[in-house]
Amino acid sequence: TLDNPTISDQEYDKYLRELFDLEYQYPELRREDSPTQRAGGKILDGFEKVTHKIPMLSLSNVFNESEIINFDERIKKEGVNPNYVCELKIDGLSVSLQYEKGKLVKAATRGDGTIGEDITNNVKTIKTVPLTLNKEIDIEVRGEIYMSKDVFNKINENRKQEGKELLQNPRNAAAGSIRQLDSKVAASRKLECWIYHLPNPEDYGIKTHMEALEFMKDLGLRVNPNNKLVNSISELLEFIEFQTENRDNLPYEIDGIVIKLNNLQEQKKLGYTAKYPKWATAYKFPAKQVLTKLIDIIFILHFFKKKFR
Ligand code: IVH
């Protein structure tokens, strides 16, 4: 909640997963306040609350090839075509943007999934969020606000010179910036935004997710050019392999690949759990850095010296 975690995201995911499994095995031990029982973070004071007309859900995670294959098998078992849109999982914070007659009127964080915070003033400072669309349309779109690696490094260089505590990573930096009550400070952080979700596509006669992405792009919204339609598990794994290799060449951080069923009718057929759509999942990259415990140090040089003296 305070954008300053004490463990890495990968460690957090690992423990959360372990907790899910334990609660599944021993349901009588599940607590009301378990972190498995909520979709997002806490609502902070200082911003107006916004109720999402359609809840802002999170994504289930998969961590390796066999879990990706399981996801695909589950989809196929439902008698559904395995046509997926693969997207980069942008490491930022999700945002909902509401346009009325083509004008940006409200921007909100996810909050707990049902109620978020009104961050309109700060979002209006993001240059990659259009204030006016190409059409006078009423629409809600969702996407990710993030800070580029360059901006993040520059801010930290300055903070170092000023003797200030360094920001942990671009995601925390973006989240911290968007919660600035002074929008001038938020503006100085040079945030950016990618749009990846249309919550009510049927209102616009849209039949596939790929069409929704095109539709939003045509409205002037910033849609990531790396999104790709794949028609088989082998193409899907190829995309993941390529993007994993290419990850360090991107100007922004990604923490995985999102896999979404393309056909919206089929998405409906699969439906949702309380927190996640069953028609999508996120493959999370393995940790680049993990915490470890130093158990022992053996001074080999000392040992050899003694032995051969
Ligand atoms: S789709 C129902 N697509 O990842 C659709 N999410 O771990 C839900 N994210 O809450 C979101 N890139 O903040 C989607 N291309 C992408 C994404 C993406 C980043 C974030 C988003 C979501 C979180 C889930």
Side-chain angles (χ1 to χ4, degrees):
T1 301
L2 298 175
D3 307 318
N4 190 19
T6 51
I7 60 169
S8 72
D9 289 357
Q10 287 83 7
E11 282 258 302
Y12 182 86
D13 285 341
K14 199 186 82 187
Y15 286 133
L16 192 62
R17 246 189 159 216
E18 197 180 331
L19 188 58
F20 260 117
D21 290 347
L22 284 168
E23 288 178 350
Y24 182 74
Q25 227 179 320
Y26 306 104
E28 72 280 10
L29 295 181
R30 193 178 64 209
R31 291 164 42 146
E32 279 299 298
D33 62 350
S34 166
T36 61
Q37 300 305 296
R38 56 171 166 171
K42 211 166 133 182
I43 302 153
L44 297 173
D45 289 324
F47 292 100
E48 294 279 312
K49 310 287 180 263
V50 176
T51 304
H52 300 298
K53 282 185 210 125
I54 301 173
M56 283 184 85
L57 299 180
S58 187
L59 292 167
S60 62
N61 293 321
V62 290
F63 293 92
N64 53 47
E65 194 173 312
S66 80
E67 291 181 354
I68 298 171
I69 292 169
N70 278 346
F71 170 77
D72 179 58
E73 290 299 326
R74 246 180 293 132
I75 297 273
K76 286 194 283 202
K77 233 190 227 161
E78 297 287 332
V80 156
N81 281 329
N83 295 341
Y84 304 109
V85 179
C86 297
E87 297 175 10
L88 303 183
K89 187 168 185 303
I90 316 296
D91 202 6
L93 68 143
S94 43
V95 67
S96 151
L97 304 177
Q98 270 177 52
Y99 289 87
E100 279 173 17
K101 294 203 172 96
K103 298 265 180 266
L104 179 66
V105 290
K106 190 146 284 171
T109 63
R110 186 171 74 189
D112 65 2
T114 308
I115 299 173
E117 302 99 354
D118 185 332
I119 50 165
T120 314
N121 286 341
N122 287 349
V123 169
K124 280 185 173 169
T125 71
I126 302 175
K127 292 197 177 122
T128 44
V129 172
L131 298 179
T132 310
L133 299 177
N134 296 333
K135 242 187 186 176
E136 289 191 359
I137 190 174
D138 289 351
I139 194 168
E140 182 191 350
V141 297
R142 293 176 182 172
E144 200 83 354
I145 293 175
Y146 66 94
M147 184 182 278
S148 72
K149 292 175 187 171
D150 256 12
V151 170
F152 172 74
N153 290 334
K154 274 182 201 134
I155 290 181
N156 262 352
E157 267 167 38
N158 288 341
R159 290 179 80 93
K160 201 171 166 188
Q161 272 170 15
E162 289 164 12
K164 285 189 185 157
E165 200 186 332
L166 297 186
L167 304 174
Q168 284 205 3
N169 56 50
R171 180 167 51 75
N172 296 124
S177 307
I178 215 70
R179 290 202 174 97
Q180 294 285 333
L181 286 165
D182 180 355
S183 58
K184 277 197 202 105
V185 181
S188 74
R189 299 291 178 87
K190 297 195 167 57
L191 298 172
E192 297 180 52
C193 185
W194 290 118
I195 297 299
Y196 50 65
H197 187 62
L198 180 63
N200 51 351
E202 54 287 336
D203 289 3
Y204 310 95
I206 288 167
K207 302 256 177 329
T208 67
H209 179 58
M210 210 59 193
E211 263 178 56
L213 292 172
E214 275 302 312
F215 179 70
M216 293 190 290
K217 194 174 150 207
D218 290 345
L219 288 175
L221 291 154
R222 190 163 179 252
V223 175
N224 195 289
N226 294 290
N227 300 334
K228 190 174 180 210
L229 182 66
V230 300
N231 298 315
S232 66
I233 185 82
S234 57
E235 270 186 68
L236 171 76
L237 295 173
E238 215 175 280
F239 180 88
I240 290 179
E241 203 181 311
F242 176 78
Q243 296 298 346
T244 308
E245 287 283 305
N246 193 46
R247 184 181 175 190
D248 289 336
N249 298 326
L250 292 170
Y252 47 87
E253 295 273 3
I254 59 171
D255 63 335
I257 302 296
V258 183
I259 307 160
K260 300 173 180 174
L261 202 57
N262 188 35
N263 187 300
L264 302 181
Q265 202 62 41
E266 296 182 338
Q267 283 188 4
K268 257 208 183 123
K269 190 170 167 193
L270 274 133
Y272 297 84
T273 70
K275 290 183 210 82
Y276 312 121
K278 290 189 196 164
W279 45 263
T281 196
Y283 162 73
K284 296 286 262 311
F285 292 136
K288 275 187 173 175
Q289 289 176 357
V290 290
L291 289 178
T292 185
K293 191 172 176 182
L294 180 63
I295 296 165
D296 201 1
I297 298 175
I298 302 163
F299 294 94
I300 297 171
L301 196 64
H302 181 68
F303 168 79
F304 278 114
K305 267 189 192 158
K306 257 190 172 169
K307 200 162 180 181
F308 299 111
R309 200 179 282 152

